[in-house]
Amino acid sequence: MELTRPHDSVAMLLAVLVVSAAVARSGGALCDKSDKAALLAVKSALGNPPALSGWNSTVACCSWEGISCNATTGRVTELTVFALNLSAPVPAAIANLTALQSVNLAYNQLYGSIPAFLGPRALPDLTFLRLDGNRLTGAIPPTATVFDLSLVGNLLTGPLPATFGGASFGDVDLADNQLTGDASMLFGAKKQLNALHLSRNRFRFDLGGVELPEAMDILEIDHNLVYGSIPAAAAARKWLAFDVSYNQLCGPIPQGRYTHRFGAKHFAGNKCLCDRPLPPCT
């Protein structure tokens, strides 16, 4: 009787692990049938673009370009259709992908409104949503309370929904739209928000009346109608990005190492801001 040599057993085990890893990456036979049908409906709603020709019924959906799945359940967790210049509304079939954690439809030509299902109410695991660089119009729906939200570079209008005040955000980018009203609800000392981008809108609120979130190290609110003063707490922050230019702010700039590093252009164009890096207060 021939005994199996130890190194042969190790080699066999490694081969099994490699095959298992490959199956997990592709999803293999685990591709959820209902999710596959939903993805084919998404493809159809986007006009069956050639770039998505690999999305077909003969291939497991977890191996499709832009799709990731849970290796155990086969449910689709990530949907990415990025920079394909697709002109269509946001496909309604996305609502059927109820295990989604991440949706990235950035840099296409999507039009119409943002559907209410793009949020944790309909997609309970969704924490990441990118719709930037499209042609979406109308108001932001109150359901869009995902942890990382990017809607920059659309044609969105109106005020922020009241639900944003109680939402848990980590990164919010609403720059380059036509949004109005009070955005102070996004601030608060105990909030998790670390990056806030509101540049080039028509937001109007008193910056001096807000508390900076403890984790915040990016604040870009330039080219709005923000008034009041810069909070004194800004002086002690290690800012990665800071821009309050072209608003209606007044008073002395809080003096800290990181508020100085961005230079005068990040404070310019205000009503009466003063002190370093701008001219001294008089």
Side-chain angles (χ1 to χ4, degrees):
M1 178 178 178
E2 185 178 351
L3 297 176
T4 302
R5 289 173 294 180
H7 67 271
D8 289 339
S9 298
V10 172
M12 291 174 63
L13 178 59
L14 289 173
V16 169
L17 291 174
V18 168
V19 172
S20 299
V23 171
R25 285 195 300 270
S26 68
L30 291 174
C31 178
D32 185 84
K33 291 182 179 179
S34 62
D35 282 1
K36 187 173 189 177
L39 288 170
L40 290 173
V42 169
K43 176 185 173 183
S44 177
L46 294 173
N48 293 308
L52 299 183
S53 60
W55 291 23
N56 63 76
S57 57
T58 65
V59 181
C61 66
C62 298
S63 66
W64 295 354
E65 183 73 22
I67 303 301
S68 295
C69 296
N70 181 292
T72 302
T73 65
R75 296 299 308 277
V76 173
T77 56
E78 296 182 17
L79 169 63
T80 299
V81 180
F82 180 82
L84 297 182
N85 201 35
L86 303 177
S87 181
V90 176
I94 293 175
N96 297 323
L97 300 167
T98 53
L100 278 174
Q101 300 170 12
S102 170
V103 173
N104 183 352
L105 305 178
Y107 294 100
N108 285 288
Q109 295 292 320
L110 301 180
Y111 58 85
S113 58
I114 299 173
F117 63 74
L118 286 178
R121 183 179 300 176
L123 304 175
D125 297 325
L126 190 68
T127 60
F128 181 92
L129 177 61
R130 281 193 64 181
L131 296 173
D132 41 305
N134 283 288
R135 295 187 289 118
L136 297 167
T137 56
I140 300 172
T143 50
T145 52
V146 299
F147 190 74
D148 289 316
L149 177 66
S150 180
L151 305 177
V152 58
N154 281 283
L155 302 169
L156 300 171
T157 56
L160 298 183
T163 52
F164 275 30
S168 178
F169 289 116
D171 189 325
V172 175
D173 194 341
L174 307 177
D176 291 298
N177 280 286
Q178 301 166 23
L179 297 166
T180 58
D182 188 354
S184 64
M185 67 181 74
L186 297 171
F187 294 84
K190 299 303 180 182
K191 293 194 175 183
Q192 300 181 61
L193 186 66
N194 73 283
L196 180 60
H197 312 264
L198 302 178
S199 305
R200 294 172 296 280
N201 280 285
R202 302 288 289 174
F203 288 118
R204 182 176 176 82
F205 61 93
D206 181 1
L207 184 62
V210 306
E211 291 183 304
L212 298 176
E214 293 178 359
M216 180 175 280
D217 55 17
I218 295 176
L219 178 62
E220 296 179 320
I221 59 173
D222 55 284
H223 295 84
N224 278 282
L225 301 170
V226 181
Y227 59 92
S229 58
I230 299 174
R237 294 298 175 90
K238 295 182 178 180
W239 295 105
L240 300 179
F242 188 88
D243 196 338
V244 296
S245 62
Y246 295 94
N247 280 287
Q248 298 175 359
L249 296 169
C250 271
I253 296 170
Q255 296 300 294
R257 173 185 174 187
Y258 289 88
T259 53
H260 298 159
R261 66 181 294 187
F262 300 105
K265 68 178 182 180
H266 292 262
F267 301 90
N270 277 284
K271 188 176 180 181
C272 49
L273 277 183
C274 57
D275 217 341
R276 184 182 174 195
L278 297 180
C281 299
T282 57

